Amino acid sequence: MLVTVVTPTYNRAASVCAAVDSALAQTHADIELIVVDDGSTDDTAARLAAYDDPRLVCLAQENRGQSAARNRAIAQARGELVAFLDSDDRWPTTKLEEQVAIMVTQPQVDVLFGDRVDVRDDGQVQHRLGLREYPVNMLIELLFSNVVNFNSSMVRAHVLRSHPFDESLRTGEDYDLWLRIAQDALFLYQPRTWLFYSVADGRLSQHYEDVFENNRVSMQRLMQGPSARVPTGVQRSIWCRFYSRYGRHHAAAGKRMAAARCFSQAIAYAPLSTIGWRAMVALLVGRI
């Protein structure tokens, strides 16, 4: 079964070849790898041009962001299944083979995902991230936290065509996608390492304020939408967790007043919960 691998890249000449090599080295060889150069100004194009593999398709566009780059690749994808691989990440060699086997035997599954290993520039493992158990309600689970390791995922192409990435978002676009898909799609989690995630400096995910603000808009849009199915009490718990987490990021960045405002919002949403109160106390006594 043909799998389309989608890799957007922007000024990642130093790492994009490792990602490309990771995709082309998969034991499931029936792939097309679509790399979209999103307006790079380094020598990304020259490095990609050095490959001599008919499975690699290179597209170029003006800088429009990862969402636009992914949508362009998905629009011309020939595979029934799509896997995402950012240009500074890598996969275990059997990742696609294992996932295709599951998607073939379980046609009801729309999104398949697994665990990730965070890797530093020096190759050392920093952290292993996975779920302790499979969530009963994926939509609610996602509203509490983005539990889907994006580049570990495999998605049916028709789902992505009916739920394109929001091109107005430059960060948090993957979370926005999962929230929209989770309203009517079936997710399946497997406790397998399917992603080696780079924690090098410069990742978009490190721009935490933009990420949190975009996440907030996506969550609010879903919970206030006409098809919202999230009880009010659950929504209050979700926002309490959200602002507690946001505040901790502010505190880690040394923005103590912004952290205090977030913790106050968390408390206001769920005053009987200890989550916001514990965070506020930790801030006041200097523990975060």
Side-chain angles (χ1 to χ4, degrees):
M1 177 177 287
L2 179 65
V3 177
T4 298
V5 180
V6 173
T7 298
T9 188
Y10 174 68
N11 286 347
R12 293 287 185 185
S15 61
V16 67
C17 290
V20 169
D21 293 343
S22 174
L24 296 178
Q26 290 292 299
T27 53
H28 180 84
D30 190 12
I31 70 168
E32 64 171 356
L33 169 58
I34 303 179
V35 179
V36 182
D37 185 352
D38 189 35
S40 295
T41 56
D42 59 9
D43 64 339
T44 291
R47 297 199 183 199
L48 293 174
Y51 282 88
D52 183 21
D53 192 314
R55 298 175 297 169
L56 174 60
V57 178
C58 296
L59 306 177
Q61 64 182 32
E62 295 181 357
N63 182 254
R64 295 168 52 205
Q66 293 189 109
S67 292
R70 291 182 182 125
N71 282 342
R72 184 179 179 190
I74 292 164
Q76 75 169 61
R78 295 184 295 115
E80 295 179 32
L81 301 171
V82 174
F84 297 103
L85 180 63
D86 285 351
S87 56
D88 44 3
D89 292 330
R90 294 176 294 110
W91 287 333
T93 56
T94 59
K95 188 259 193 190
L96 294 184
E97 180 182 2
E98 294 172 6
Q99 291 189 317
V100 169
I102 293 171
M103 295 295 267
V104 168
T105 57
Q106 301 193 53
Q108 75 280 10
V109 173
D110 298 300
V111 181
L112 175 64
F113 68 102
D115 298 340
R116 85 182 196 209
V117 173
D118 291 354
V119 182
R120 300 198 308 253
D121 281 343
D122 59 6
Q124 295 298 308
V125 172
Q126 177 171 306
H127 183 63
R128 295 181 183 272
L129 184 63
L131 294 176
R132 287 189 295 272
E133 59 184 21
Y134 184 72
V136 175
N137 186 320
M138 194 65 200
L139 178 59
I140 298 298
E141 187 74 17
L142 279 166
L143 284 168
F144 274 110
S145 179
N146 184 5
V147 297
V148 179
N149 294 312
F150 181 69
N151 289 301
S152 78
S153 68
M154 177 174 281
V155 189
R156 298 198 185 275
H158 71 85
V159 174
L160 293 167
R161 291 195 175 102
S162 61
H163 297 82
F165 287 92
D166 184 342
E167 296 187 12
S168 70
L169 299 178
R170 289 286 184 133
T171 59
E173 70 282 349
D174 57 326
Y175 183 50
D176 178 81
L177 174 74
W178 298 143
L179 287 177
R180 288 184 286 113
I181 288 179
Q183 296 179 79
D184 51 24
L186 178 63
F187 285 65
L188 177 63
Y189 163 72
Q190 293 288 284
R192 306 186 193 182
T193 297
W194 281 335
L195 172 62
F196 298 124
Y197 180 83
S198 168
V199 291
D201 291 339
R203 294 206 68 136
L204 285 176
S205 57
Q206 293 181 345
H207 304 163
Y208 77 91
E209 289 182 282
D210 291 339
V211 173
F212 270 97
E213 286 303 316
N214 285 343
N215 288 173
R216 181 186 61 78
V217 171
S218 298
M219 293 164 63
Q220 191 170 52
R221 181 166 53 192
L222 186 146
M223 287 191 280
Q224 294 181 352
S227 60
R229 302 188 298 270
V230 185
T232 300
V234 176
Q235 290 190 33
R236 297 183 73 85
S237 295
I238 288 167
W239 287 120
C240 174
R241 292 283 185 92
F242 173 84
Y243 282 107
S244 295
R245 193 164 59 247
Y246 196 176
R248 288 183 179 276
H249 275 75
H250 278 314
K255 299 179 180 181
R256 297 181 63 80
M257 290 301 296
R261 286 194 294 270
C262 281
F263 295 150
S264 294
Q265 286 179 286
I267 293 168
Y269 272 109
L272 297 181
S273 171
T274 61
I275 294 173
W277 290 108
R278 287 202 309 266
M280 183 67 84
V281 171
L283 179 70
L284 293 175
V285 300
R287 292 183 180 176
I288 58 174

